[in-house]
Amino acid sequence: MKLKDINLLYVATLLFLLLSSNANILSSNTAAWFITMFLIIVIGLVRRRFEAAEMKSLLIFSVVYVLFVVLRFYLVNELEIDYLGSDLLFLVKYAWLAFIICAILKEETIAYMVKVMTHLSVVSFVFFALQLIAPETMFKIFSAVSVPTGNSLPGYTNFLVFTFTRGFHDYSNSGFVWEPGAFGCFLVLALMFHFFLNRFRFDGTAIILIIANITTFSTTNYLGLFVLFILAYRYRVPKLNIWVLVLLPVLIALVVFVPFLGDKIIDTYKEDMRDLNHLKVLEKFYRHNRMEIPLNRFSSMWHIINSFGDKLILGVSNKYNDTLNKQFTVNISNGIFDFFAKFGIVGFLYLMYRYIRFCRPYVVKIENLVYCALIILALSFGEPILILPFVLVFLFLRIKQNTIDFVDKSKEQERFASI
C-alpha cells in the first residue's frame, strides 16, 4: 500500500484520541506523547493543512494563557516554580495538541471524531465480549502484552485500543479509555457530534454509539445520554405538545422511584460525606495497599472547596494535586472542580463559552443550548474530562456561520460519507 492510499487524517484522529484517552503508554509517557504529537504534526505538514491565520490565533491564545498563569502564579498563589512549569507544559502538551488536530481536520474535525470513535466502539465490543466470557484468560493475555502505563490501580491492563481492570470493572466496558465512565463521556460527546452532522437522526452509527454507552453501566453517562435524547427530541419536535408536558413528571418520577437513579445519587452523597470525615482512617488503609484515596464526585467537590476556597476563582495550578496531597493522598473524580482547581472558574467559563458558541449553529434555539450545557456539566461532574484534548478542541473548533440552515443536508451527508 502506498502512502497516498492511507487516509492520513484518519490516522491523525486515531492518534489524537489515543493520546486523549489517558489510558495507554502513548498518553502516560511524556516522550511517547511528544513523539506521537510530532507524527500528527508531520501528517498536517504532508497534507498542507496549517494556515497562517490559524497559527496567528494560536499565538494569541498562547500569549493570553501565559499571561494568565504567570500573573496568577506571582500575584495569587505562593508556590514553587515547578508549578508554573507544569502550567506551561499543559499549554504545549494538551492545548496545542487540541489546536493541531483542529487545524489539520478543519471543518471535518467532528466528522472524523465520530468515524474513529465508532470504529473504536466496534473494536470494544469484541474485547468486551471476551471480557465477559473469559475474564481470567483475558486478564492473563492483557497482562502479558500490556506495556506499563504508570496506572497504580490493581488489575489495570491496557492494550492500546482496550482497557480491562480485573476486579474493578469486570462487567463494564472501558473501551480505549482508562475506565468505563470516561469511555461513556467520549461516547456521549461523539454521539452529540454525530447528531449535529445528521440533524439528530438515529441511524446505524448512532445505534452503535448508544449500545457502546449502555455497556459502560455508568449512571453519569446515562444521565448525559438521556439529556442528549431530550435535545434530539426537542430539535426534531420544536413545538410544545402533550408529550413534552408528560415527559417532565415522568423524569421526576424516575429519579425519585428508580433506585438506580435517585437512590444511588443520594447514597453516593452520604457515602462521600462519611469518607471526608474519615480521611485519616482511609489514608492508612490505602497507603498500606499502595493506593490513593479514591474520593467520589461529591467528596472530591467538597475536598477541593475546603482546601482552596476563593483561590478557585482563578485556580491554583495544573499541578494542584501536590498541594492537595500534602496531608492526604487522594484521587479526584469530579471534573468540574478539578478544572476549577487547575484554571479557575474564570477558565471554566471561557471553555463553556467556546463550547456553547460551537454548539449554537447546530441546535439554534436557546433551549437546546441549555441541554448542550447540561450534557457537558453532567459528564464532567462525574469524570475529569475537561482537561483532556478531546474536550479542549472546543477552544479551537471552527464555527458554522449560518445559525439556521448551516449546510445543505445532502452535501453534509456526502462529505461525511466520503471520510
Side-chain angles (χ1 to χ4, degrees), residues 95-341:
W96 283 9
L97 176 62
F99 165 82
I100 288 168
I101 198 65
C102 291
I104 291 175
L105 300 179
K106 302 192 185 313
E107 293 87 354
E108 297 174 333
T109 300
I110 63 173
Y112 270 102
M113 296 286 190
V114 172
K115 189 83 168 182
V116 179
M117 278 295 304
T118 304
H119 293 168
L120 288 171
S121 297
V122 173
V123 171
S124 78
F125 293 155
V126 177
F127 285 105
F128 183 54
L130 178 59
Q131 173 182 317
L132 295 178
I133 296 171
E136 292 296 337
T137 301
M138 178 149 180
F139 181 70
K140 291 179 181 179
I141 295 174
F142 269 46
S143 297
V145 300
S146 288
V147 180
T149 63
N151 191 312
S152 60
L153 188 64
Y156 182 90
T157 59
N158 175 269
F159 189 54
L160 204 61
V161 293
F162 193 80
T163 298
F164 177 44
T165 307
R166 188 73 175 103
F168 282 80
H169 305 303
D170 289 348
Y171 305 104
S172 302
N173 184 1
S174 296
F176 70 103
V177 192
W178 74 89
E179 66 105 28
F183 183 42
C185 293
F186 277 63
L187 290 166
V188 172
L189 290 177
L191 179 59
M192 184 182 73
F193 288 158
H194 183 60
F195 280 156
F196 285 175
L197 293 173
N198 76 351
R199 296 193 173 188
F200 294 86
R201 291 185 298 106
F202 287 81
D203 56 14
T205 297
I207 297 302
I208 291 174
L209 295 173
I210 292 170
I211 293 175
N213 202 307
I214 292 173
T215 63
T216 65
F217 295 104
S218 168
T219 307
T220 302
N221 299 329
Y222 288 176
L223 179 59
L225 183 63
F226 193 72
V227 176
L228 181 56
F229 286 165
I230 295 176
L231 170 60
Y233 176 78
R234 294 296 292 134
Y235 180 91
R236 296 184 65 84
V237 187
K239 293 184 178 180
L240 287 175
N241 55 41
I242 186 63
W243 294 109
V244 176
L245 298 177
V246 170
L247 184 62
L248 183 59
V250 169
L251 292 179
I252 296 175
L254 284 173
V255 173
V256 173
F257 296 110
V258 178
F260 184 67
L261 297 175
D263 286 358
K264 182 176 180 179
I265 294 173
I266 294 173
D267 291 343
T268 298
Y269 184 84
K270 291 180 179 179
E271 182 180 344
D272 286 0
M273 295 305 99
R274 288 196 299 268
D275 287 347
L276 277 181
N277 295 324
H278 297 86
L279 286 179
K280 290 184 178 180
V281 177
L282 293 173
E283 173 78 3
K284 293 179 180 179
F285 172 80
Y286 285 103
R287 180 178 293 177
H288 177 73
N289 290 276
R290 298 179 180 181
M291 294 173 59
E292 299 175 339
I293 302 174
L295 294 183
N296 215 317
R297 283 75 166 124
F298 298 104
S299 53
S300 293
M301 175 184 71
W302 284 115
H303 190 52
I304 288 177
I305 292 174
N306 294 336
S307 299
F308 299 120
D310 58 6
K311 288 186 177 180
L312 295 178
I313 295 174
L314 294 179
V316 179
S317 170
N318 176 60
K319 198 180 177 184
Y320 79 92
N321 296 83
D322 287 1
T323 300
L324 192 69
N325 293 340
K326 285 183 177 179
Q327 185 176 5
F328 302 109
T329 304
V330 298
N331 189 307
I332 299 298
S333 61
N334 186 309
I336 294 177
F337 284 84
D338 171 72
F339 198 90
F340 286 175

